[in-house]
Amino acid sequence: DVTFLSNRLSFNFDYFTEKRTGILIAPNQMPIIIATSLPNLNIGAVNNKGYEVVIGWSDRINKLDYYVNTNISYSKNKIINIDEVPNLYDYQNVTGGPTGRQSGMYKFIRLYRYGDFDKGEDGEYILKKDLPQPYIQVYPGDAMYADLNDDGTVDADDRMVYGYSSRPEYVFGLNVGLQYEGVGLTMNWAGATHVAKMLEEDYRTPFTTAGSRGLIQYFVDDSWTPEHQDASLPRPAVTTRSWNTSKSTLWLQDASYLRLKTISLNYTMKNMKFLNTLKIKSLVINLSGYNLLTFTKLKALDPEGNTQNNGAYPIIKTYNLGATINF
């Protein structure tokens, strides 16, 4: 912690590193032939490291008082032991990566095109033999996934662990305050990056699996149809619904965001004739707003919200107008 220029400039830096052991987890390496399960054991281990930087500036120019504070924090962990049974392919192991990453995911490449198929005698679409063959029949407009192990077939062996954690690695903020005579303004910005969220099934399936709910707008806008072949989302079809809605990088969303959390404008009145007549020492009028602006790539959901099925009530914009009277 240091300050400069007669305390106008302040600087704070914190660094931490931690090796945590004895985490209570369910053991995974018990052979199935034992026909029993063990209680949770204190065998988990995770290493953590990170830092936080806070920089502040405050000053006065004539009658204007102001301050600016900004902060950024970085935190990342690494799984040392989760009692994982080593998988056949390294890209399926969670050990060695951060907690909160998505597993069991296909790598989405693109949507199948008509040119990827040959026509059979009955007019059916047959995927060309030079392309990796999914374990089910696919059609134009369905999702194409990568054959990660290069065996010519796309199946469970091509599922992987991938992406950033559901908890952001970087979190940052900005606080600004201005005061000029009786007028004051404060605002707070917050943001995060290096964070990913997986859309759950209700957000991956048109009308949902039950088929009984409304259609989310981005399905209307972005789903593949013969008339809309440059779409970004697979065709809505019952025959390949489970394939197209499987966990994949298509549904893993960048949840980075920048948000104006709060802004407040106030005006203070003192020693005015009408106030003195009413024997009022001061009158403060305040206008404030919450969650007024959000910049994010995440579609249909709040970046700080819940991506689970049924979602959650969205964060709303709030405006407040108030007055404080001192007699």
Side-chain angles (χ1 to χ4, degrees):
D1 295 284
V2 292
T3 59
F4 304 95
L5 304 175
S6 301
N7 294 328
R8 287 179 293 175
L9 175 64
S10 61
F11 178 83
N12 169 270
F13 178 78
D14 290 293
Y15 174 81
F16 71 88
T17 180
E18 175 192 40
K19 295 183 178 181
R20 180 173 295 184
T21 59
I23 300 172
L24 190 66
I25 62 172
N28 297 308
Q29 298 199 38
M30 173 66 70
I32 297 177
I33 60 174
I34 301 298
T36 187
S37 59
L38 294 176
N40 290 349
L41 303 175
N42 295 96
I43 55 178
V46 175
N47 289 350
N48 301 276
K49 64 179 181 179
Y51 62 82
E52 182 177 24
V53 179
V54 181
I55 301 174
W57 174 268
S58 61
D59 199 5
R60 180 181 178 87
I61 302 176
N62 297 325
K63 296 182 179 181
L64 174 66
D65 293 295
Y66 70 95
Y67 68 84
V68 179
N69 296 317
T70 184
N71 66 280
I72 181 171
S73 64
Y74 168 81
S75 178
K76 188 174 183 178
N77 58 36
K78 180 180 180 180
I79 298 173
I80 305 302
N81 181 43
I82 198 172
D83 200 39
E84 179 179 29
V85 179
N87 291 281
L88 183 60
Y89 303 101
D90 290 340
Y91 54 76
Q92 296 178 328
N93 295 327
V94 299
T95 303
T99 61
R101 286 197 304 169
Q102 293 293 326
S103 60
M105 280 198 316
Y106 289 114
K107 181 180 180 181
F108 175 77
I109 299 177
R110 60 175 174 83
L111 300 179
Y112 285 109
R113 309 183 183 105
Y114 283 109
D116 297 323
F117 297 83
D118 295 320
K119 278 289 191 72
E121 294 181 357
D122 297 329
E124 73 273 19
Y125 289 99
I126 302 173
L127 188 64
K128 292 182 176 179
K129 298 300 183 182
D130 59 340
L131 292 173
Q133 301 296 304
Y135 67 88
I136 68 168
Q137 176 69 40
V138 293
Y139 302 90
D142 288 332
M144 176 189 287
Y145 302 133
D147 177 20
L148 296 182
N149 62 356
D150 294 321
D151 65 351
T153 302
V154 181
D155 54 22
D157 288 338
D158 299 297
R159 294 176 180 264
M160 63 178 180
V161 180
Y162 181 80
Y164 290 116
S165 171
S166 57
R167 293 179 296 276
E169 291 182 1
Y170 290 94
V171 177
F172 43 87
L174 174 68
N175 298 298
V176 177
L178 305 172
Q179 185 70 42
Y180 183 78
E181 294 186 339
V183 180
L185 172 69
T186 60
M187 63 178 176
N188 167 248
W189 292 81
T193 190
H194 284 198
V195 55
K197 292 189 176 183
M198 173 63 69
L199 299 183
E200 294 301 324
E201 188 174 1
D202 283 1
Y203 294 101
R204 305 198 298 257
T205 309
F207 298 108
T208 74
T209 303
S212 59
R213 297 183 184 172
L215 189 65
I216 300 177
Q217 185 64 43
Y218 62 76
F219 286 123
V220 177
D221 298 334
D222 299 333
S223 291
W224 186 96
T225 64
E227 298 77 26
H228 186 204
Q229 297 182 28
D230 59 347
S232 59
L233 299 181
R235 68 190 185 107
V238 174
T239 54
T240 50
R241 180 173 61 192
S242 61
W243 172 263
N244 290 328
T245 61
S246 296
K247 288 177 64 176
S248 74
T249 55
L250 172 63
W251 307 109
L252 187 66
Q253 301 288 307
D254 180 357
S256 302
Y257 70 92
L258 175 64
R259 167 170 286 158
L260 177 59
K261 296 286 288 186
T262 63
I263 184 169
S264 178
L265 177 66
N266 61 76
Y267 179 59
T268 302
M269 293 177 283
K270 294 181 179 180
N271 300 321
M272 293 185 175
K273 185 175 181 180
F274 80 96
L275 294 178
N276 295 332
T277 301
L278 298 173
K279 298 183 179 180
I280 296 175
K281 294 181 179 179
S282 66
L283 172 63
V284 182
I285 299 175
N286 180 269
L287 175 64
S288 60
Y290 301 88
N291 302 314
L292 301 186
L293 293 173
T294 301
F295 304 94
T296 182
K297 295 180 180 179
L298 189 63
K299 294 182 178 180
L301 295 168
D302 184 84
E304 294 181 282
N306 180 17
T307 63
Q308 302 298 316
N309 294 337
N310 300 324
Y313 196 80
I315 292 178
I316 60 176
K317 296 179 181 179
T318 304
Y319 300 90
N320 292 322
L321 176 63
T324 302
I325 302 174
N326 295 315
F327 293 94

CSV table of all heavy atoms in Angstrom, one decimal, residues 15-19 47-51 74-78 169:
chain,number,residue,atom,x,y,z
A,15,TYR,N,-1.1,-10.1,-3.5
A,15,TYR,CA,-0.9,-11.3,-4.2
A,15,TYR,C,-1.1,-12.5,-3.3
A,15,TYR,O,-0.7,-12.4,-2.1
A,15,TYR,CB,0.6,-11.4,-4.8
A,15,TYR,CG,1.0,-12.7,-5.4
A,15,TYR,CD1,0.6,-13.0,-6.7
A,15,TYR,CD2,1.7,-13.6,-4.7
A,15,TYR,CE1,0.9,-14.2,-7.3
A,15,TYR,CE2,2.0,-14.9,-5.2
A,15,TYR,CZ,1.6,-15.1,-6.5
A,15,TYR,OH,2.0,-16.3,-7.1
A,16,PHE,N,-1.7,-13.5,-3.8
A,16,PHE,CA,-1.9,-14.7,-2.9
A,16,PHE,C,-1.6,-16.0,-3.7
A,16,PHE,O,-1.7,-16.1,-4.9
A,16,PHE,CB,-3.3,-14.7,-2.4
A,16,PHE,CG,-4.4,-15.1,-3.4
A,16,PHE,CD1,-4.7,-16.4,-3.6
A,16,PHE,CD2,-5.0,-14.1,-4.1
A,16,PHE,CE1,-5.7,-16.7,-4.6
A,16,PHE,CE2,-6.0,-14.4,-5.1
A,16,PHE,CZ,-6.3,-15.7,-5.3
A,17,THR,N,-1.2,-17.0,-2.9
A,17,THR,CA,-1.0,-18.3,-3.4
A,17,THR,C,-1.4,-19.3,-2.3
A,17,THR,O,-1.1,-19.0,-1.2
A,17,THR,CB,0.4,-18.6,-3.9
A,17,THR,OG1,0.5,-19.9,-4.4
A,17,THR,CG2,1.4,-18.4,-2.8
A,18,GLU,N,-2.1,-20.3,-2.7
A,18,GLU,CA,-2.6,-21.3,-1.7
A,18,GLU,C,-2.6,-22.7,-2.2
A,18,GLU,O,-2.9,-22.9,-3.4
A,18,GLU,CB,-4.0,-20.9,-1.4
A,18,GLU,CG,-4.8,-21.8,-0.4
A,18,GLU,CD,-6.2,-21.5,-0.4
A,18,GLU,OE1,-6.8,-21.2,-1.4
A,18,GLU,OE2,-6.8,-21.6,0.7
A,19,LYS,N,-2.2,-23.6,-1.4
A,19,LYS,CA,-2.2,-25.0,-1.7
A,19,LYS,C,-3.2,-25.7,-0.7
A,19,LYS,O,-2.9,-25.8,0.4
A,19,LYS,CB,-0.9,-25.7,-1.7
A,19,LYS,CG,0.1,-25.1,-2.7
A,19,LYS,CD,1.5,-25.8,-2.6
A,19,LYS,CE,2.4,-25.3,-3.7
A,19,LYS,NZ,3.7,-26.0,-3.7
A,47,ASN,N,-4.7,-26.1,-6.1
A,47,ASN,CA,-3.9,-24.9,-5.9
A,47,ASN,C,-4.5,-23.7,-6.4
A,47,ASN,O,-5.2,-23.7,-7.5
A,47,ASN,CB,-2.5,-25.2,-6.6
A,47,ASN,CG,-1.7,-26.2,-6.0
A,47,ASN,OD1,-2.0,-26.7,-4.9
A,47,ASN,ND2,-0.6,-26.6,-6.6
A,48,ASN,N,-4.4,-22.6,-5.7
A,48,ASN,CA,-5.0,-21.3,-6.1
A,48,ASN,C,-3.9,-20.2,-6.1
A,48,ASN,O,-3.0,-20.2,-5.3
A,48,ASN,CB,-6.1,-20.9,-5.1
A,48,ASN,CG,-7.2,-21.9,-5.0
A,48,ASN,OD1,-8.1,-21.8,-5.8
A,48,ASN,ND2,-7.1,-22.7,-4.0
A,49,LYS,N,-4.0,-19.3,-7.0
A,49,LYS,CA,-3.1,-18.2,-7.0
A,49,LYS,C,-3.8,-17.0,-7.7
A,49,LYS,O,-4.8,-17.2,-8.5
A,49,LYS,CB,-1.8,-18.5,-7.8
A,49,LYS,CG,-2.0,-18.8,-9.2
A,49,LYS,CD,-0.6,-19.0,-9.9
A,49,LYS,CE,-0.7,-19.3,-11.4
A,49,LYS,NZ,0.6,-19.6,-12.0
A,50,GLY,N,-3.4,-15.8,-7.4
A,50,GLY,CA,-4.0,-14.6,-8.0
A,50,GLY,C,-3.5,-13.3,-7.4
A,50,GLY,O,-2.6,-13.3,-6.6
A,51,TYR,N,-4.1,-12.2,-7.8
A,51,TYR,CA,-3.7,-10.9,-7.3
A,51,TYR,C,-4.8,-9.9,-7.5
A,51,TYR,O,-5.8,-10.2,-8.2
A,51,TYR,CB,-2.4,-10.4,-8.1
A,51,TYR,CG,-2.7,-10.2,-9.6
A,51,TYR,CD1,-3.3,-9.1,-10.1
A,51,TYR,CD2,-2.4,-11.2,-10.5
A,51,TYR,CE1,-3.6,-8.9,-11.4
A,51,TYR,CE2,-2.6,-11.0,-11.9
A,51,TYR,CZ,-3.2,-9.9,-12.3
A,51,TYR,OH,-3.4,-9.7,-13.7
A,74,TYR,N,-7.4,-11.0,-10.3
A,74,TYR,CA,-7.2,-12.2,-11.1
A,74,TYR,C,-7.1,-13.4,-10.1
A,74,TYR,O,-6.4,-13.3,-9.1
A,74,TYR,CB,-6.0,-12.1,-12.0
A,74,TYR,CG,-5.5,-13.4,-12.6
A,74,TYR,CD1,-6.1,-13.9,-13.7
A,74,TYR,CD2,-4.5,-14.2,-12.0
A,74,TYR,CE1,-5.7,-15.0,-14.3
A,74,TYR,CE2,-4.1,-15.4,-12.6
A,74,TYR,CZ,-4.7,-15.8,-13.7
A,74,TYR,OH,-4.3,-17.0,-14.3
A,75,SER,N,-7.8,-14.4,-10.4
A,75,SER,CA,-7.8,-15.6,-9.6
A,75,SER,C,-8.0,-16.8,-10.5
A,75,SER,O,-8.9,-16.9,-11.2
A,75,SER,CB,-8.9,-15.6,-8.5
A,75,SER,OG,-8.8,-16.7,-7.7
A,76,LYS,N,-7.1,-17.8,-10.3
A,76,LYS,CA,-7.1,-19.0,-11.1
A,76,LYS,C,-6.7,-20.2,-10.2
A,76,LYS,O,-5.7,-20.1,-9.4
A,76,LYS,CB,-6.3,-18.9,-12.3
A,76,LYS,CG,-6.5,-20.1,-13.3
A,76,LYS,CD,-5.7,-19.9,-14.6
A,76,LYS,CE,-5.9,-21.1,-15.6
A,76,LYS,NZ,-5.2,-20.8,-16.9
A,77,ASN,N,-7.4,-21.3,-10.4
A,77,ASN,CA,-6.9,-22.5,-9.6
A,77,ASN,C,-6.6,-23.7,-10.5
A,77,ASN,O,-6.9,-23.6,-11.7
A,77,ASN,CB,-8.0,-22.9,-8.6
A,77,ASN,CG,-9.4,-23.2,-9.2
A,77,ASN,OD1,-9.4,-23.7,-10.3
A,77,ASN,ND2,-10.4,-22.8,-8.5
A,78,LYS,N,-6.1,-24.7,-9.9
A,78,LYS,CA,-5.7,-25.9,-10.7
A,78,LYS,C,-6.0,-27.1,-9.8
A,78,LYS,O,-5.6,-27.2,-8.7
A,78,LYS,CB,-4.2,-25.8,-11.0
A,78,LYS,CG,-3.6,-27.0,-11.8
A,78,LYS,CD,-2.1,-26.9,-12.1
A,78,LYS,CE,-1.6,-28.1,-12.8
A,78,LYS,NZ,-0.1,-27.9,-13.1
A,169,GLU,N,-12.1,-15.4,-14.2
A,169,GLU,CA,-10.7,-15.3,-13.8
A,169,GLU,C,-10.4,-13.8,-13.5
A,169,GLU,O,-9.7,-13.5,-12.5
A,169,GLU,CB,-9.8,-15.8,-14.8
A,169,GLU,CG,-9.8,-17.3,-15.0
A,169,GLU,CD,-8.8,-17.8,-16.1
A,169,GLU,OE1,-8.1,-16.9,-16.6
A,169,GLU,OE2,-8.8,-19.0,-16.3
